[in-house]
């Protein structure tokens, strides 16, 4: 069964997200307008606000084609929209090259995935259990 996510269109031209194919893991997020550009970064509004079910989070990722073909990514690498946020979702993109292309209004600018976000309880302890890896750092497993 699919979870229901309520979406409020804040502008009549806002595009409700959709999945490009039956096998798509993420849904497309479309730019309403570019509201700021400074150097190699641009901020886009989406004209959308989400009501996520409790215990869920909306993760916003870069589009694969933007990275591979255009050198463009999310400025913060991954966006996190919490279930209690009701404001407009915006996307900030960074161009990692000296190209001139940035997405325009109506272009797909990011992709979203709604995931479980379990709450955990933190317990302070004196010692942690032992493992084979132990305190081996980054790259310690090969």
């Amino acid at each position: 069964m699919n979870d229901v996510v309520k979406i409020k269109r804040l502008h009549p031209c806002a595009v409700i997200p959709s999945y490009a194919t039956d096998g798509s893991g993420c849904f497309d997020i479309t730019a309403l307008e570019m509201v700021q550009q400074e150097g190699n970064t641009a901020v886009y509004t989406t004209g959308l606000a989400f009501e996520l079910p409790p215990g869920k989070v909306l993760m916003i990722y870069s589009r694969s084609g933007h990275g591979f073909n255009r050198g463009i990514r999310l400025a913060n690498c991954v966006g996190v929209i919490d279930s209690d946020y009701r404001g407009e979702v915006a996307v900030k993109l960074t161009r990692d090259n000296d190209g001139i292309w940035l997405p325009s209004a109506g272009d797909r600018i990011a992709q979203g995935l709604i995931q479980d976000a379990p709450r955990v309880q933190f317990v302070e302890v004196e010692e942690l259990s032992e493992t084979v890896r132990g305190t081996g750092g980054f790259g310690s497993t090969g």
Side-chain angles (χ1 to χ4, degrees):
M1 171 154 183
N2 295 334
D3 289 318
V4 172
V5 174
K6 296 177 182 177
I7 298 177
K8 182 177 181 182
R9 200 184 303 243
L10 303 173
H11 188 280
C13 294
V15 177
I16 300 297
S18 64
Y19 295 90
T21 68
D22 288 342
S24 295
C26 293
F27 52 84
D28 292 323
I29 298 172
T30 302
L32 178 63
E33 68 176 318
M34 182 192 300
V35 293
Q36 178 185 357
Q37 182 179 0
E38 186 175 317
N40 282 356
T41 65
V43 176
Y44 298 85
T45 59
T46 63
L48 300 173
F50 291 75
E51 182 177 326
L52 301 169
K56 300 287 184 181
V57 65
L58 168 55
M59 305 296 289
I60 299 177
Y61 299 103
S62 294
R63 291 183 45 79
S64 300
H66 283 176
F68 278 99
N69 302 325
R70 304 283 189 166
I72 293 174
R73 61 179 167 80
L74 262 64
N76 59 336
C77 297
V78 176
V80 178
I81 307 298
D82 298 314
S83 64
D84 59 351
Y85 177 68
R86 294 294 184 270
E88 182 175 14
V89 170
V91 173
K92 185 174 184 178
L93 298 178
T94 297
R95 185 176 54 223
D96 290 325
N97 57 41
D98 291 328
I100 59 171
W101 186 85
L102 281 169
S104 301
D107 288 346
R108 294 173 295 165
I109 54 169
Q111 54 185 339
L113 177 65
I114 296 175
Q115 295 182 301
D116 290 332
R119 302 279 300 192
V120 298
Q121 179 181 359
F122 296 97
V123 177
E124 184 177 5
V125 297
E126 294 291 324
E127 297 291 329
L128 300 175
S129 63
E130 294 291 326
T131 67
V132 173
R133 183 177 184 178
T135 59
F138 298 111
S140 65
T141 63

